[in-house]
Amino acid sequence: MVLRETQRAFVYFSLHGLTVDNVIVNRVLPPEIRDAWFSEWHISQSNVSRELEEYFAPVPVRRVPLFAHEVLGKQRLQDLANVLYAEGEDPSAVTQTEKPYVFGKRDGMYEVRLHLPFATKGDIGLFKKGDELVVEVGTLRRHIGLPRSMAMLVPARARLENRILTVEMKEAQ
């Protein structure tokens, strides 16, 4: 389980306007494997599993056990589907609809609100370039095209609360 890479991918998708509606963790050791050699792996996977649930909430986390074989061919793909989805569950159903960013106006101030899971204040940078708001999270950079009503505005203030970065926009002086 590579938690940090998954977090970076999640932030990247959010910055690019994509909604993630499931996180799939694969190669989870089955509980029936009780060999002493695997005990540390069980502990490690258990700890990471708890972190995953906390970090990605409310996005559901689905687990796929470590299969004894590669998932190749129609039957093995069906086996994988049976693990991931309950009988009658539609794998293409949309389960999360929260947009990663929205434009709005509150108390007379225009704002851009971005969903930035895992970001901390020290990781975030932002600036205006033309009619785009440029948001940086670590080494990731996203150019967000601003609507016409906000294209001439500049960032005035930003705050990060509950995984949401709110950027207040004002007229340039």
Side-chain angles (χ1 to χ4, degrees), residues 29-95:
L29 287 177
E32 57 271 12
I33 296 178
R34 287 286 158 218
D35 186 304
W37 196 81
F38 287 106
S39 65
E40 288 295 318
W41 283 31
H42 276 290
I43 293 168
S44 175
Q45 285 189 349
S46 178
N47 291 338
V48 171
S49 184
R50 275 193 299 281
E51 280 186 70
L52 281 164
E53 292 289 342
E54 292 172 14
Y55 283 135
F56 290 104
V59 177
V61 176
R62 297 178 186 251
R63 289 164 183 78
V64 176
L66 175 64
F67 288 119
H69 50 73
E70 290 293 322
V71 180
L72 297 171
K74 186 177 177 181
Q75 182 55 51
R76 291 190 177 162
L77 283 172
Q78 186 62 53
D79 295 342
L80 174 62
N82 292 341
V83 169
L84 286 172
Y85 305 102
E87 176 105 18
E89 184 179 0
D90 180 1
S92 67
V94 175
T95 60

Side-chain angles (χ1 to χ4, degrees), residues 2 8 20 31 38 42 45 50 53 57-58 81 102-103 109 116 128 145 148 154 157-158 163:
V2 187
R8 279 192 293 276
V20 175
F38 287 106
H42 276 290
Q45 285 189 349
R50 275 193 299 281
E53 292 289 342
V102 293
F103 306 103
M109 178 77 74
L116 292 182
K128 177 102 181 315
R148 191 169 278 174
V154 295
R157 193 178 97 153
R163 302 182 187 192

Side-chain angles (χ1 to χ4, degrees), residues 128-166:
K128 177 102 181 315
K129 182 178 181 182
D131 62 354
E132 297 177 325
L133 178 65
V134 181
V135 179
E136 298 173 329
V137 180
T139 60
L140 303 174
R141 178 180 285 184
R142 171 68 170 143
H143 294 251
I144 299 171
L146 295 170
R148 191 169 278 174
S149 60
M150 298 175 75
M152 299 306 293
L153 304 177
V154 295
R157 193 178 97 153
R159 66 183 178 281
L160 181 66
E161 296 172 337
N162 301 321
R163 302 182 187 192
I164 303 292
L165 175 67
T166 302

